[in-house]
């Protein structure tokens, strides 16, 4: 009987939601140039009918149904909302970042994240995947945005990255007593312990599991950027995550870590700086995505020459790794690797995310291919292709617009004039 009542309640909830959607006011966007499915031909003079959160219909010509609100984008280029598959929404790189673990609690981080989330949305990014941050703060922010209490992009989150003790996502560079006290809650050693770390993240509400398969640039340790997990640890992480319905993505710069993670069945790579031909073969074998974060490489390279707050370890790795990332994007693109847009924003300033588009074009993509990485490709990567990534009937009305042709000049995407998320206009500078 309890199960019957629960099923009835669920059915009533679904009917109520459908009724609310049907009864919502109609809004019609007059799109002068519509890139509904990036990579396919743009359409001219199209009406997008939006009711509630969803796209109800797409019609040729500028239609004006009685009682509908008209949004005039008849001179603009209209596209799906962008997806950034790699952000750190709670913080931003700067002089105090290294000491944030000692000065800020989860509430501080969540409030900072709310500010950064709004900035990100105003830049045209209507969905993000946060891969590495305070668990309470980032899940709380995700849920507050979903409930409509905070303005920002819809979020998928990993919480803290699974890392070996002393690895890239653990705390480094302080005395041993401090290191023991502030060690990451997701640090693990050995296959069994790494399974535990994954299961605790799933229990806490992680949408995706992130690991640090190699050393990293901004950890204050002279541990390089090659692999940091053993094979049995990698295999146990992937197996445990997949058993519990979660995909696994790996921070990985060095080829040894990239290849070991992909051989273990991993789903995607963040950064991928030193990938090689074997890495490309493994990407294609696994149908794995690469999230390049090219602008993070550019940014830390610049900071290495000017930022007094960088430690010697950070500066040395920034100079070594940063300049390699554009060639990596070119090599992966030419090798047929599936690429999903990701910036590592939080390393670079939030709101500058669209710089990544320009770097992809510099690396050999066409503007259309670059836009596709942040829409069609990224929607598949974050497992939301049925709801976002294109402007099609039934999908969320996540829509952005610019006043110039981004297929002719990708830099137009750095100045987004209109943002709609789930049918709600968040920005309109027309």
């Amino acid at each position: 009987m309890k199960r019957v009542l629960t099923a009835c309640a669920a059915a009533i909830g679904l009917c109520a939601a459908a009724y609310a959607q049907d009864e919502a006011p109609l809004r019609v966007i007059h799109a002068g140039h519509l890139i509904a499915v990036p990579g396919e031909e743009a359409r001219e003079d199209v009406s997008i009918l939006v009711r509630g959160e969803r796209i109800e219909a797409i019609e040729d010509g500028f239609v004006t149904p009685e009682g509908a609100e008209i949004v005039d984008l008849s001179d603009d280029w209209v596209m799906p909302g962008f997806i950034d598959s790699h952000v750190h929404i709670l913080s931003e790189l700067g002089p105090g970042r290294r000491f944030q673990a000692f000065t800020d609690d989860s509430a501080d981080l969540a409030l900072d994240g709310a500010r950064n989330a709004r900035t990100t949305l105003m830049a045209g990014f209507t969905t993000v995947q946060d891969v590495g941050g305070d668990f309470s703060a980032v899940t709380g922010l995700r849920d507050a945005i979903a409930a409509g209490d905070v303005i920002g992009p819809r979020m998928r989150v990993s919480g803290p990255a699974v890392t070996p003790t002393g690895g890239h996502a653990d705390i480094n560079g302080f005395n041993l007593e401090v290191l023991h006290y502030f060690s990451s809650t997701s640090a693990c050693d050995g296959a069994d312990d790494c399974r535990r770390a994954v299961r605790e993240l799933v229990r806490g509400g992680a949408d995706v599991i992130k690991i640090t398969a190699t050393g990293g640039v901004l950890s204050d340790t002279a541990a390089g950027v090659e692999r940091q997990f053993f094979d049995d640890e990698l295999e146990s992480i992937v197996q445990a995550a997949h058993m519990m319905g979660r995909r696994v993505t790996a921070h990985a710069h060095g080829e040894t870590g990239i290849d070991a993670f992909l051989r273990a069945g991993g789903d995607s790579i963040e950064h991928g700086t030193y990938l090689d031909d074997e890495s490309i073969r493994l990407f294609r074998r696994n149908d794995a995505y690469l999230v390049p974060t090219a602008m993070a490489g550019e940014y830390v390279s610049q900071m290495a020459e000017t930022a007094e707050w960088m430690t010697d370890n950070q500066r040395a790795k920034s100079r070594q790794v940063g300049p390699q990332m554009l060639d990596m994007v070119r090599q992966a693109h030419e090798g047929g690797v599936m690429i999903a847009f990701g910036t590592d924003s939080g390393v670079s300033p939030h709101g500058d995310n669209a710089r990544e588009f320009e770097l992809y074009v510099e690396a050999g993509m066409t503007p259309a291919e670059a836009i596709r990485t942040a829409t069609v490709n990224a929607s598949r990567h974050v497992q939301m292709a049925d709801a976002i990534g294109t402007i099609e009937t039934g999908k969320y009305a996540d829509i952005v617009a610019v006043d110039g042709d981004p297929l002719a000049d990708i830099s137009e995407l750095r100045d987004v004039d209109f943002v709609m998320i789930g049918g709600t206009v968040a920005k309109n500078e027309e």
Side-chain angles (χ1 to χ4, degrees), residues 262 268-269 275-285 287-292 328-340 365 373 377:
L262 292 175
S268 54
I269 294 286
L275 57 75
D276 60 11
D277 290 344
E278 174 63 6
S279 309
I280 289 173
R281 187 189 71 79
L282 291 167
F283 269 107
R284 296 178 65 172
R285 185 198 73 177
D287 290 329
Y289 276 90
L290 169 68
V291 183
M328 170 269 297
V329 179
R330 182 177 295 108
Q331 185 179 358
H333 177 56
E334 291 174 353
V337 173
M338 297 186 298
I339 294 175
M365 291 188 199
T373 68
N377 292 8

Side-chain angles (χ1 to χ4, degrees), residues 86 213 248-253 257-259 261-262 266-273 275 283 288-293 340 381:
H86 186 134
V248 190
T249 192
H251 155 107
H253 287 289
I258 295 169
D259 292 359
F261 175 71
L262 292 175
D267 301 298
S268 54
I269 294 286
E270 315 286 328
H271 314 306
T273 308
L275 57 75
F283 269 107
Y289 276 90
L290 169 68
V291 183
T293 69
H381 169 59

Side-chain angles (χ1 to χ4, degrees), residues 149-207:
D149 297 329
V150 174
I151 298 170
R154 64 176 50 81
M155 293 177 62
R156 282 169 49 92
V157 305
S158 71
V162 178
T163 179
T165 298
H168 173 59
D170 202 0
I171 190 168
N172 293 285
F174 297 96
N175 72 60
L176 196 58
E177 187 174 343
V178 169
L179 295 178
H180 282 308
Y181 188 77
F182 284 93
S183 181
S184 170
T185 56
S186 293
C188 64
D189 300 289
D192 289 345
D193 195 32
C194 288
R195 290 189 190 98
R196 172 204 55 80
V198 169
R199 288 167 175 162
E200 287 190 358
L201 290 168
V202 173
R203 179 174 64 175
D207 301 302

